[in-house]
Amino acid sequence: MIHLGQINTLEILRETDHGVYLIDDEDNEVLLPNRYVPETFKIWDKIDVFVYLDNEERPVASTDFPYIMKGDFALLRCNQVTEYGAFLDWGLVKELFCPFKEQAFKMKPGGWYLVHCYLDEKTDRLVASSKTNRFLDNKELTVAEFDEVDLIVSHPSDIGMNVIVNKTHLGLIYKDQIFKDISVGDKLKGIVKKVRPGNKLDIALGQIGYRNIEPNAERIMQELQDNSGYLNLTDKSNPEAIKEQLQMSKKNFKKAVGSLYKQKLIEIKPDGIYLV
């Protein structure tokens, strides 16, 4: 079966004036237009293509892959708005359509929006929605505390930043847990810090407790190497100074410094830290 909105591995069946026809293992065919046909090929060669509907609502294949596929979330630029809705740049000739009813806020040309791509069952077309929360579900969690997860920054709230967890769940990073600049659409790694009642997920950008020592220790070592073996911070430094220079909390800084000191990799003096 040929799947719209996904990468399909198909075989080259025959050549025509308009391109080559590809076939799947169920004898379904789709056109790969001339602009995407490889310079050299043989009949029955396999090729990876993205399949979507062209301007005449016919399935068509492309060797150009879009910025977003079915089931994904991505930050896309709005190219134009018409009486029907917004059209987004997703890296293909035909733009991705976002109906007005799927816009969390009215889109404007030139604006960037986090959207979800899905297949509209009524029209069989790929469309975008900036109402991303409705595609997330925390009723049955597929993650547990201390799991490492993939994050997409969704939208800010009064208490922190909402994030999409593994393209499936909604999570929250509290303001006091954010030690670096993050923006909507950023893709990050994180840890499930806590599962609260109602399956609400508290997320941390760094690993928790002693699991956080190693990456933070590496960060400090890198800073020392970049600054001729000296870092003008100590355990008495202001938390804001540590956050600004190292993008970590003072608590995690002290744990990381302690780990490096025990390994005899650094020397701690009143004016700062020195690389041994």
Side-chain angles (χ1 to χ4, degrees):
M1 184 175 181
I2 295 176
H3 299 281
L4 290 176
Q6 301 178 26
I7 302 299
N8 295 258
T9 301
L10 306 176
E11 294 180 331
I12 297 176
L13 177 65
R14 64 181 185 276
E15 187 174 8
T16 71
D17 291 340
H18 303 291
V20 298
Y21 275 90
L22 311 177
I23 192 170
D24 67 4
D25 55 8
E26 296 179 357
D27 294 334
N28 298 302
E29 297 181 17
V30 63
L31 176 68
L32 179 68
N34 281 319
R35 63 182 298 169
Y36 303 116
V37 174
E39 290 185 8
T40 59
F41 66 88
K42 299 190 296 291
I43 300 300
W44 303 121
D45 277 354
K46 290 187 176 181
I47 186 170
D48 291 334
V49 294
F50 179 78
V51 180
Y52 65 110
L53 299 184
D54 65 12
N55 290 324
E56 297 182 14
E57 308 301 324
R58 299 172 302 187
V60 64
S62 170
T63 52
D64 287 346
F65 297 160
Y67 308 139
I68 187 173
M69 298 189 190
K70 188 180 77 171
D72 285 346
F73 297 84
L75 191 69
L76 301 182
R77 183 182 185 275
C78 175
N79 280 350
Q80 59 175 320
V81 177
T82 70
E83 60 183 305
Y84 304 106
F87 290 85
L88 311 177
D89 176 14
W90 64 329
L92 299 179
V93 175
K94 181 185 177 183
E95 296 167 331
L96 182 62
F97 178 58
C98 183
F100 287 121
K101 67 177 183 178
E102 291 297 337
Q103 297 176 24
F105 301 97
K106 188 175 181 181
M107 293 182 174
K108 298 179 180 179
W112 290 82
Y113 303 93
L114 181 68
V115 298
H116 176 75
C117 179
Y118 69 100
L119 190 66
D120 185 343
E121 295 181 355
K122 293 182 179 179
T123 62
D124 210 30
R125 291 190 302 174
L126 293 166
V127 294
S129 172
S130 63
K131 297 180 179 180
T132 53
N133 279 6
R134 77 181 188 88
F135 300 97
L136 304 173
D137 188 359
N138 285 38
K139 291 180 181 178
E140 295 185 11
L141 294 180
T142 59
V143 298
E145 289 185 1
F146 308 117
D147 281 357
E148 185 177 40
V149 290
D150 293 315
L151 306 173
I152 301 174
V153 179
S154 177
H155 58 280
S157 74
D158 293 338
I159 57 176
M161 186 70 78
N162 289 284
V163 289
I164 296 167
V165 180
N166 288 352
K167 301 181 184 179
T168 304
H169 307 306
L170 181 66
L172 177 71
I173 306 173
Y174 288 97
K175 284 181 180 179
D176 61 1
Q177 295 293 310
I178 299 174
F179 301 109
K180 62 180 181 180
D181 291 334
I182 58 176
S183 303
V184 173
D186 285 353
K187 295 183 178 181
L188 308 164
K189 291 286 186 180
I191 297 291
V192 179
K193 184 177 181 181
K194 186 177 181 180
V195 178
R196 292 188 285 117
N199 284 347
K200 295 180 179 179
L201 299 177
D202 291 352
I203 303 297
L205 289 179
Q207 293 183 321
I208 300 167
Y210 282 97
R211 300 183 184 191
N212 204 14
I213 291 175
E214 194 56 36
N216 283 336
E218 290 179 5
R219 175 75 179 88
I220 291 171
M221 289 294 288
Q222 186 63 54
E223 191 76 11
L224 284 165
Q225 291 166 5
D226 291 344
N227 291 278
S228 303
Y230 172 68
L231 183 60
N232 64 338
L233 295 172
T234 69
D235 60 359
K236 293 182 174 58
S237 295
N238 187 292
E240 290 302 318
I242 295 172
K243 178 180 176 180
E244 181 178 354
Q245 192 161 346
L246 296 174
Q247 294 79 52
M248 69 180 72
S249 68
K250 184 171 182 176
K251 179 181 177 181
N252 288 334
F253 168 75
K254 291 173 69 174
K255 287 181 179 181
V257 168
S259 172
L260 293 172
Y261 182 76
K262 288 178 182 178
Q263 297 175 63
K264 299 182 179 179
L265 296 173
I266 61 171
E267 185 177 0
I268 303 173
K269 295 184 178 182
D271 64 331
I273 300 169
Y274 291 81
L275 192 63
V276 173

